[in-house]
Amino acid sequence: MLVTFRIKDTQTQLHSRPAEISALELAALTRRLHSGNAALDVDPGEFGAAPLNFEINANALSMAAFTACFDHRAEIISIVEEAQFLGRTLRVRHLGRLAPITIEVSEHIALARDLMMGPDLASKVLFALGRDDAGEGELTLESLRLLLQDHRTYDAFCGAKITPIYDSLAYLAFTDCGEQTPVLEWAQ
């Protein structure tokens, strides 16, 4: 199973609240996303052509395209605006047959791509970062920056022959997320 490294923020107070959407609005959104070749981050077990649980970059469509899918609903516009302003993804969620379908600002930062790698490579990366446990975890971006500026960390990446991953992590660590307080999370 792949290990995913991604930037997220659970500390910043959001101003919008999740909003309920209809199945027709969800269909309009997914149709628009597919026709625009937008990349959907579909939850495991979902069908990619018609997912019910997924994330999408809030900048994948224009504001006009989003509002057209939701008949210009003010609460949806505020969610999309906040996600675009914060550089976050939008989360569409449907928890069960009788539960409503909702859309909300996700905790995932969309300004930097996720890094996905096999468990062996992830273990090498975490070991080079001074983490003995290869399980799930997180590290503040500030801590990651300090680690990557230490020559011993770079030497550990070189010794493990994974210097391209060092460069990718440096790109993530120095992503400007504004006034948010993001962390680098890794999980399977």
Side-chain angles (χ1 to χ4, degrees), residues 19-26 29 70 73 76 92 100-103:
E20 191 173 321
I21 62 174
S22 71
L24 291 175
E25 290 170 326
L26 176 61
L29 175 63
F70 299 103
R73 291 176 45 202
I76 303 294
V92 174
I101 303 168
T102 59
I103 188 168

Side-chain angles (χ1 to χ4, degrees), residues 66-79:
F66 273 115
T67 58
C69 293
F70 299 103
D71 197 28
H72 306 284
R73 291 176 45 202
E75 68 270 25
I76 303 294
I77 292 170
S78 69
I79 291 168

Side-chain angles (χ1 to χ4, degrees), residues 4-44:
T4 303
F5 290 80
R6 75 178 355 166
I7 298 176
K8 73 173 196 171
D9 175 21
T10 58
Q11 301 301 314
T12 301
Q13 182 68 33
L14 298 175
H15 299 287
S16 64
R17 299 283 175 249
E20 191 173 321
I21 62 174
S22 71
L24 291 175
E25 290 170 326
L26 176 61
L29 175 63
T30 55
R31 186 172 40 257
R32 184 73 60 116
L33 292 169
H34 287 309
S35 68
N37 293 322
L40 280 78
D41 184 6
V42 179
D43 287 5

Side-chain angles (χ1 to χ4, degrees), residues 83-163:
Q84 288 180 343
F85 179 76
L86 293 174
R88 302 268 192 104
T89 59
L90 291 168
R91 176 85 173 134
V92 174
R93 185 183 323 252
H94 184 245
L95 298 176
R97 203 174 82 160
L98 299 176
I101 303 168
T102 59
I103 188 168
E104 62 188 310
V105 177
S106 173
E107 62 190 18
H108 297 124
I109 307 288
L111 298 173
R113 293 189 173 268
D114 296 349
L115 294 177
M116 292 187 285
M117 57 191 77
D120 293 339
L121 181 55
S123 293
K124 287 181 182 181
V125 169
L126 292 172
F127 184 77
L129 291 173
R131 301 284 177 143
D132 293 329
D133 181 21
E136 296 180 2
E138 63 182 37
L139 188 64
T140 66
L141 287 192
E142 181 63 32
S143 298
L144 180 61
R145 282 185 208 112
L146 292 174
L147 279 171
L148 294 176
Q149 291 173 348
D150 186 339
H151 70 87
R152 292 173 293 196
T153 303
Y154 182 74
D155 292 343
F157 275 85
C158 290
K161 299 182 183 349
I162 55 171
T163 50

Side-chain angles (χ1 to χ4, degrees), residues 40-59:
L40 280 78
D41 184 6
V42 179
D43 287 5
E46 290 286 328
F47 180 60
L52 294 173
N53 294 284
F54 63 94
E55 290 193 17
I56 184 69
N57 186 331
N59 293 307

